[in-house]
Amino acid sequence: MNFHIITKAMNKDPLDLDAFHRNGFERRVCKKCGARFWSRRERETCGEFPCDPYTFMDRPVMNRSLSFYEMMDHFLRFFEERGHTVINRYPVVARWRKDVFLVNASIYDFQPHVTSGQVPPPANPLVVPQPCIRMVDIDDVGKTGRHLTSFIMLGHHAFNYPDDYKYWKDETVEYSLEFLKSLGVDPDLVTFKEKPWIGGGNGGYAVEVIVAGLELATLVFMEFKEDPSGDIEIEGKRFVPMPLKVVDTGYGLERFVWSSMALPSVFDSIYGDTIDLIFSMKGIKKPENYNEIVKGFVSIENKENLEDELRRLFDRETVSFIEILRKVHVIADHTRTLIFMLNDGIVPSNSKAGYLARMIIRRFFRVLEDLGIQDRMDEIIRFQFNKFSRQLDPQMLPIILDIMKVEHERYRETMEKGMAIVDRLLKERKIGVEDLIELYDTHGIQPELVAERAMSKGIEIKIPDNFRSLVASRHERQELEKEENVALNFPPTEALYYRDPYMKEFDANVIHSEEGIVILDRTCFYPEGGGQPGDTGYLICGDKRIRVKGVKKYGEVIVHSIDGRIDCKEVHGIIDWERRYSLMKNHTATHILLYSCRKVLGKHVWQAGAQKDEFLSRLDITHYKKISREEIMEIEREALRVITENVQVESSWMDRNDAEKIYGFKLYEGGIPPGKVIRVVKIGDYDAEGCGGTHVARTGEIGFIKILKEERIQDGVSRLVFSSGEGALRIVHENENILHEASSILRVSPEELPRASKRFFEEWKYLNKIKERYEETIISLEIDRIISRPIVKNNVKLYYGEMDDSLVMKSLRKLKEKESIFFIYGKNIGVIVDNTSLRILERLNLSGKINKNILILENSDPKEILKAIESVLG
């Protein structure tokens, strides 16, 4: 791919760096791919595979072999010694971003809040070992020996502000050379390949660091932000310079380990013990020339015709072994990807990040079954979890195992149901790529299963080599909601509800007024937001009492929606306190309920939505199976414990980075608050969230929380409808009234109601069976009577008869196997639809509802219809 940057004016070549010249590098152009690159020795190609072969496996380029965590620690220590602060990894699910679901690179941790200049970085400069997931590479896993869906990007980053410079391009190149030298890499083996970069609304010049055919790192100099009017063009998008200059580097940990070990594939370097485990499960021994086989497989350039290339290069037995090895690679890679996804709180579903997790899961199951080791799934997951436990939460392992068990059961059910759908489609038409995607998207049917089913029927289906990448590309980015961006040219409104959420009345000056709205200099009316409705109440203007119907916030300006118009310069405001207090209790109860759900169900639980109301509220949470009645009661008990402890509810404004360090990304349960400073609501030591709502001062004010119902509103999301305080008491009273009313009807005490209900139900079923037998007898006798007296016209027999309304359909179904025309009537008329009856009905211009070949004519006179039919028959 050709990349180009167009600028109106460029004083200096952006990548003609002193660091290259100081270290003896010269710029050249690759004769194979056309890319510009820098190298110390004369060469015609850029050094990257396939322009150049992998040579590090034959002649090690590093002076020592480092394992996964040894290499990670070496990198972190190297940059820590050079003034960088080591920070903890971020989750692989990008909860702080609105545009993407998964973290693809370490710079994602700081987009958009830090890179936009809104928020300072957590440290500067810094270094982070960031797990990343790239679904775009999913189809290459098992095909190349070097591609992974999950990997660790070792990133060192510097954020250069106009008044606070850290380091820039030359220093970054020097760091990369110095780090390679620390591993014994000869600079003569290094090439820097130029390749501009864009991502997350930013862009910049970049170079890839290549050694012995293998790309080890990318050095990005982020200095642009996307702007349609910009002078700089990268990959068809336009950019403008930004004040903040960001050093964005990504060193591939797995590739550095591979290069240091000089083993035949990245999988042998990272997952060698995992491969041995799976081979032992299959009872397979590695061939004596294993390294040569894998090296030859990895070095194949033409991956589009991989099967043909394998047959050309290897004998049949070796090809069979490579096919098994490719599947083992998929299992090793996908297991780690799933572990990080599920560990970080992604719940498999049919939407958003959950869809991407399920995509990995179902391919994982498919390959396990191909190898016949699906019953060893837990063993493989445990092994991989322990292998990478340093960056994982040990409490999540049992939850991950349970999620995978539930998903496997769903997978088997889906496959069984899916084959009927595939068979129907194969009868109707040829299945194309869009059909395969639709089957996968809607029904979860693996394309390989579709192809196998088609092959059994003599039909060939071509699965695109990039099928899963194609599907993932449709789901890996979030659809950005159109934000209401109304700028009002008024001074910011002072939010008195934050100063004192218990304030019921206030005085304020009128800033602006027109029919239906008023803007004040300050207010204790809470504006709608965060799932909490806006306050209602009154504004007193002289002797007029004007109703406030709702309140909204636009930027820093709060607008009150009113009945009529205010002509005063000053007003006295009164909020509907009982309503507000109920909302405060229910909002605080939402936080407590979310904590309780996570405590009872597991740490995978995240808020998926919430709506607070005066009486009933709802909380949507991510969870992978239906919540049991016992779990609901345990959640209520845990919530009651927090309430009865009467802990303090504190609200404070905090620096965003400080808040993230203390409370983690649970801060963003209710959404992504903008800005450097965020409002944090903390409930004792139980819960802390970024939240702009109003809350009670202590949990004891809530009284108790009652969950009214639980329902699955979508795959992977459960909704809890609940109330607190007096609203919860009202629910209890209503339920008690229902209980007592039912007890009174059945004339038993409430304690005896379950047993009495069961007895009545059994008796009802018994009587219903007697009723059905009675109806069958009536129908049989009536049918015999109808058949015994037909009306015969022109060799067509017409049968008719009257029946109880409830028996019309049943009677006609009994007659389906008979001949001629039948119609049976009660309140409505039923007619068996066949060729003869259809011709007659069309001539009479009669139509109605058809149910299983029976036409129902509603509101028709049976005698008139009968006469009409006889007339048509002649």
Side-chain angles (χ1 to χ4, degrees):
M1 183 180 293
N2 293 321
F3 296 86
H4 60 282
I5 296 180
I6 301 171
T7 60
K8 288 184 177 177
M10 185 74 70
N11 295 328
K12 183 179 184 298
D13 187 323
L15 289 176
D16 187 6
L17 305 179
D18 292 340
F20 288 142
H21 296 293
R22 279 197 304 269
N23 289 280
F25 285 80
E26 294 183 16
R27 179 182 266 158
R28 312 175 200 279
V29 177
C30 179
K31 290 190 175 180
K32 287 190 176 180
C33 70
R36 298 197 301 183
F37 68 95
W38 294 80
S39 66
R40 292 213 325 177
R41 58 183 176 84
E42 182 71 34
R43 56 185 304 147
E44 295 185 344
T45 49
C46 62
E48 184 177 21
F49 183 85
C51 296
D52 284 273
Y54 297 125
T55 58
F56 64 91
M57 292 178 277
D58 301 315
R59 297 183 299 278
V61 295
M62 297 184 185
N63 60 10
R64 50 185 159 156
S65 175
L66 295 179
S67 66
F68 186 83
Y69 284 117
E70 287 173 341
M71 184 66 77
M72 179 189 289
D73 289 338
H74 178 69
F75 182 88
L76 297 177
R77 188 165 52 249
F78 176 91
F79 281 96
E80 189 175 28
E81 290 170 352
R82 287 155 181 80
H84 293 66
T85 301
V86 179
I87 67 168
N88 292 329
R89 77 165 181 98
Y90 282 45
V92 297
V93 53
R95 300 190 187 279
W96 56 94
R97 292 185 59 164
K98 295 181 179 180
D99 56 336
V100 295
F101 296 119
L102 301 173
V103 172
N104 285 184
S106 58
I107 194 62
Y108 275 42
D109 299 351
F110 314 110
Q111 289 177 307
H113 301 106
V114 176
T115 55
S116 66
Q118 283 186 324
V119 178
N124 195 13
L126 60 82
V127 60
V128 58
Q130 180 58 44
C132 300
I133 296 176
R134 288 187 183 171
M135 299 295 290
V136 69
D137 292 328
I138 186 171
D139 289 302
D140 287 326
V141 175
K143 186 184 289 186
T144 66
R146 67 181 184 276
H147 280 92
L148 305 164
T149 56
S150 59
F151 58 95
I152 304 295
M153 181 175 283
L154 300 170
H156 70 89
H157 301 274
F159 303 87
N160 296 289
Y161 297 88
D163 58 349
D164 186 15
Y165 177 86
K166 299 301 178 184
Y167 63 85
W168 192 223
K169 298 175 183 177
D170 285 291
E171 296 92 332
T172 303
V173 171
E174 293 282 9
Y175 277 141
S176 68
L177 285 169
E178 192 178 346
F179 180 70
L180 289 170
K181 289 176 185 176
S182 75
L183 296 168
V185 177
D186 184 349
D188 283 350
L189 298 177
V190 180
T191 58
F192 292 91
K193 184 177 178 180
E194 298 182 15
K195 188 176 181 181
W197 173 92
I198 63 171
N202 299 116
Y205 305 98
V207 291
E208 295 174 342
V209 183
I210 299 159
V211 177
L214 188 63
E215 179 195 342
L216 294 177
T218 301
L219 314 179
V220 177
F221 308 111
M222 184 192 294
E223 51 187 317
F224 310 124
K225 64 179 178 180
E226 198 170 338
D227 189 321
S229 63
D231 297 332
I232 303 156
E233 183 181 317
I234 310 175
E235 292 189 66
K237 295 184 177 181
R238 291 193 170 269
F239 295 81
V240 295
M242 60 184 191
L244 180 63
K245 310 297 183 188
V246 182
V247 172
D248 166 25
T249 68
Y251 287 64
L253 172 59
E254 287 78 6
R255 293 193 172 197
F256 269 91
V257 174
W258 182 16
S259 186
S260 82
M261 290 185 170
L263 291 173
S265 78
V266 71
F267 289 88
D268 293 289
S269 303
I270 305 302
Y271 298 113
D273 48 359
T274 309
I275 293 171
D276 290 341
L277 173 69
I278 298 172
F279 276 170
S280 69
M281 291 176 177
K282 283 288 295 176
I284 294 175
K285 289 185 177 181
K286 290 181 179 178
E288 291 184 5
N289 60 338
Y290 172 82
N291 282 3
E292 293 304 315
I293 291 172
V294 179
K295 196 183 301 181
F297 161 60
V298 171
S299 299
I300 293 174
E301 291 184 29
N302 185 7
K303 301 296 185 182
E304 290 185 5
N305 299 303
L306 181 58
E307 279 68 26
D308 292 339
E309 286 293 297
L310 289 173
R311 285 191 290 270
R312 185 178 69 80
L313 293 171
F314 303 103
D315 59 44
R316 184 179 300 176
E317 185 178 344
T318 303
V319 170
S320 297
F321 172 76
I322 291 174
E323 286 301 315
I324 292 173
L325 180 64
R326 290 174 60 191
K327 292 173 182 176
V328 172
H329 284 182
V330 170
I331 291 172
D333 169 82
H334 284 16
T335 314
R336 179 171 72 157
T337 301
L338 287 171
I339 284 170
F340 272 93
M341 280 180 149
L342 302 182
N343 179 88
D344 289 1
I346 295 178
V347 172
S349 70
N350 290 332
S351 64
K352 300 184 179 181
Y355 179 94
L356 301 174
R358 183 164 284 167
M359 172 181 274
I360 294 280
I361 286 172
R362 290 189 168 172
R363 190 186 190 205
F364 174 69
F365 289 155
R366 165 73 178 169
V367 178
L368 282 178
E369 290 183 353
D370 282 350
L371 292 180
I373 55 173
Q374 60 268 29
D375 58 335
R376 308 292 291 275
M377 177 178 70
D378 280 14
E379 188 178 345
I380 296 170
I381 291 172
R382 288 180 187 276
F383 184 87
Q384 291 279 74
F385 190 96
N386 291 331
K387 182 179 177 68
F388 298 103
S389 60
R390 179 165 149 182
Q391 289 190 302
L392 300 169
D393 182 350
Q395 294 181 33
M396 287 301 296
L397 177 57
I399 295 172
I400 291 172
L401 292 171
D402 196 36
I403 290 174
M404 294 298 287
K405 178 184 175 183
V406 170
E407 282 295 304
H408 194 252
E409 290 170 358
R410 288 176 178 160
Y411 170 77
R412 295 309 314 153
E413 291 171 4
T414 299
M415 293 304 103
E416 290 170 9
K417 293 176 182 176
M419 287 305 101
I421 299 170
V422 173
D423 288 344
R424 186 173 68 247
L425 282 177
L426 289 170
K427 285 182 181 178
E428 295 174 357
R429 63 180 187 273
K430 185 177 180 181
I431 295 179
V433 174
E434 285 301 317
D435 295 310
L436 288 174
I437 292 174
E438 177 67 20
L439 286 168
Y440 190 91
D441 254 354
T442 306
H443 305 288
I445 303 170
Q446 304 291 304
E448 294 83 3
L449 285 174
V450 179
E452 289 171 9
R453 192 74 160 198
M455 186 65 71
S456 69
K457 298 177 182 296
I459 303 170
E460 184 178 358
I461 291 178
K462 175 67 175 174
I463 304 171
D465 290 336
N466 66 335
F467 175 80
R468 288 179 175 82
S469 300
L470 193 64
V471 175
S473 67
R474 301 186 180 192
H475 294 272
E476 64 184 355
R477 301 190 72 83
Q478 300 197 55
E479 289 187 19
L480 294 176
E481 295 180 5
K482 193 172 182 179
E483 296 182 359
E484 193 174 19
N485 190 17
V486 180
L488 299 179
N489 190 24
F490 296 102
T493 309
E494 183 183 355
L496 299 175
Y497 49 83
Y498 282 154
R499 184 193 299 177
D500 180 8
Y502 290 84
M503 184 182 293
K504 305 176 183 66
E505 301 183 26
F506 67 100
D507 294 311
N509 298 316
V510 176
I511 300 296
H512 174 77
S513 178
E514 59 184 76
E515 187 67 30
I517 66 168
V518 64
I519 300 172
L520 309 175
D521 65 339
R522 59 184 197 152
T523 184
C524 71
F525 280 90
Y526 178 80
E528 176 186 342
Q532 180 174 328
D535 282 334
T536 57
Y538 294 92
L539 292 175
I540 309 299
C541 171
D543 58 354
K544 290 195 297 184
R545 188 179 175 91
I546 299 170
R547 181 69 177 166
V548 176
K549 301 183 294 184
V551 189
K552 288 193 174 182
K553 189 175 184 181
Y554 301 93
E556 296 302 314
V557 179
I558 297 172
V559 178
H560 304 72
S561 175
I562 60 174
D563 282 331
R565 182 187 183 100
I566 287 183
D567 299 320
C568 303
K569 292 184 178 181
E570 297 179 355
V571 293
H572 181 72
I574 304 171
I575 67 171
D576 290 334
W577 172 247
E578 292 302 322
R579 179 177 180 274
R580 156 74 87 76
Y581 193 42
S582 293
L583 289 169
M584 287 167 62
K585 288 189 281 189
N586 274 343
H587 199 148
T588 311
T590 304
H591 289 225
I592 294 173
L593 192 58
L594 179 60
Y595 156 77
S596 302
C597 288
R598 185 178 282 116
K599 177 77 173 178
V600 173
L601 302 176
K603 296 170 76 172
H604 63 284
V605 169
W606 284 79
Q607 180 175 311
Q611 181 62 47
K612 299 85 181 177
D613 214 335
E614 186 179 358
F615 173 52
L616 287 180
S617 298
R618 63 172 171 80
L619 171 67
D620 300 339
I621 61 169
T622 57
H623 189 47
Y624 56 93
K625 60 184 178 182
K626 183 171 177 59
I627 305 173
S628 69
R629 179 63 190 151
E630 292 73 20
E631 287 170 330
I632 289 290
M633 292 189 291
E634 183 58 32
I635 291 167
E636 289 179 332
R637 280 192 291 269
E638 183 62 30
L640 183 62
R641 187 174 68 81
V642 177
I643 291 168
T644 54
E645 285 186 11
N646 197 28
V647 297
Q648 187 175 359
V649 180
E650 303 172 83
S651 300
S652 61
W653 295 91
M654 295 184 67
D655 176 88
R656 187 187 207 95
N657 287 320
D658 292 340
E660 285 183 2
K661 285 177 186 176
I662 297 171
Y663 303 117
F665 293 96
K666 288 189 295 183
L667 284 169
Y668 306 130
E669 290 278 8
I672 309 166
K676 177 183 176 181
V677 178
I678 61 175
R679 185 170 183 262
V680 177
V681 175
K682 181 175 176 287
I683 301 176
D685 294 326
Y686 297 109
D687 184 74
E689 295 180 35
C691 180
T694 56
H695 296 269
V696 295
R698 304 193 77 86
T699 59
E701 295 177 51
I702 296 171
F704 75 106
I705 296 172
K706 182 63 187 171
I707 298 172
L708 182 62
K709 66 176 180 177
E710 179 271 340
E711 58 182 340
R712 299 283 283 180
I713 60 168
Q714 67 183 62
D715 193 25
V717 178
S718 292
R719 171 167 292 172
L720 300 176
V721 179
F722 71 95
S723 191
S724 66
E726 291 184 13
L729 186 61
R730 187 169 130 194
I731 291 173
V732 172
H733 287 166
E734 288 175 356
N735 288 339
E736 285 181 346
N737 290 338
I738 293 170
L739 179 67
H740 284 288
E741 185 178 352
S743 301
S744 176
I745 292 170
L746 296 178
R747 296 181 181 178
V748 296
S749 67
E751 294 78 14
E752 295 173 325
L753 187 58
R755 187 169 55 187
S757 299
K758 183 178 180 182
R759 186 180 76 247
F760 277 110
F761 179 68
E762 295 297 332
E763 289 175 358
W764 174 82
K765 284 200 301 182
Y766 173 72
L767 292 173
N768 204 44
K769 286 180 181 178
I770 293 175
K771 175 175 171 284
E772 288 176 359
R773 288 199 296 269
Y774 175 67
E775 288 177 349
E776 291 291 329
T777 302
I778 293 175
I779 290 170
S780 296
L781 290 172
E782 186 61 22
I783 286 174
D784 289 343
R785 189 181 68 80
I786 291 170
I787 292 175
S788 69
R789 52 185 185 88
I791 296 174
V792 182
K793 298 241 177 171
N794 289 327
N795 297 321
V796 176
K797 293 179 180 179
L798 171 64
Y799 299 95
Y800 70 95
E802 186 174 2
M803 191 78 72
D804 184 88
D805 291 340
S806 64
L807 302 180
V808 169
M809 289 288 289
K810 289 183 179 179
S811 301
L812 283 165
R813 290 192 187 117
K814 290 284 185 181
L815 289 165
K816 274 190 175 182
E817 304 303 321
K818 306 294 181 181
E819 59 184 7
S820 301
I821 302 173
F822 293 91
F823 82 89
I824 295 177
Y825 58 89
K827 183 178 179 182
N828 299 317
I829 302 171
V831 181
I832 295 178
V833 177
D834 59 13
N835 291 334
T836 305
S837 61
L838 274 177
R839 286 197 301 271
I840 294 170
L841 294 170
E842 286 171 0
R843 289 179 64 181
L844 294 174
N845 198 27
L846 294 173
S847 62
K849 298 177 182 176
I850 294 180
N851 182 3
K852 296 182 179 178
N853 294 329
I854 296 173
L855 178 69
I856 303 297
L857 302 173
E858 297 179 343
N859 303 317
S860 301
D861 186 337
K863 293 180 181 179
E864 292 297 323
I865 298 291
L866 183 60
K867 284 180 183 179
I869 292 174
E870 288 186 46
S871 173
V872 170
L873 291 175

